[in-house]
Amino acid sequence: MEAERLIALGRHALAESGTAQDIVAEAWQTQALAQAVGSRLALCGPQELRGEARGLSEIGEYPAVWGAGGPRAARLTEVADPHRALTALGELLGEVGIALVGVACATDEEGLYWQCIEAIDATDESGDRVRGLLRRLAVRDGERGRPPDPARDRATPRREPSC
């Protein structure tokens, strides 16, 4: 399934979360999706993104809260438009962070509070990586608008693997 579609499913699932535990579970679903998008871009994305994408793929260890269906991220098959997917992922991470802060502030349960704090940390770090990837894309796209550089044009172009 394409990344933007999975992100939309995550956004819908977060909006439908009825309990604090549901919100925490959706936070980890989103974290798993961020890692999967990072892995996909590290393998098949634009060359300029691969190092930063690898960093996104390695953020956070999450508990096994998937239930019978497993993580939605396992259904990721492609990132057709990295800019749009990363923008949508960044928005979802922001929404998850806000929801987690709400749960952490409202709970009297110490265990749930610390689960939220751990998930907030992972979400925040993933959001930072996503913003870094978007900045790299902006720089790359800005370079495309420049006049040709003869020294750069002589270099052999790199082929990206097809995935």
Side-chain angles (χ1 to χ4, degrees), residues 41 46-49 52 81-84 86-87 129-146 152:
L41 289 174
Q47 189 67 36
E48 301 87 351
L49 300 184
E52 187 84 20
D81 182 336
H83 185 268
R84 285 186 11 194
L86 289 168
T87 299
R129 294 285 182 157
V130 166
R131 285 185 293 278
L133 287 162
L134 286 168
R135 280 191 298 275
R136 286 187 185 277
L137 280 174
V139 167
R140 180 191 76 166
D141 292 345
E143 287 178 358
R144 285 185 180 166
R146 284 198 222 163
R152 185 182 294 165

Side-chain angles (χ1 to χ4, degrees), residues 37-77:
V37 168
S39 292
R40 193 73 160 157
L41 289 174
L43 180 63
C44 304
Q47 189 67 36
E48 301 87 351
L49 300 184
R50 292 189 182 171
E52 187 84 20
R54 193 169 299 106
L56 177 60
S57 73
E58 297 170 349
I59 294 172
E61 290 294 320
Y62 38 82
V65 293
W66 313 123
R72 276 189 301 275
R75 293 186 258 165
L76 180 68
T77 57

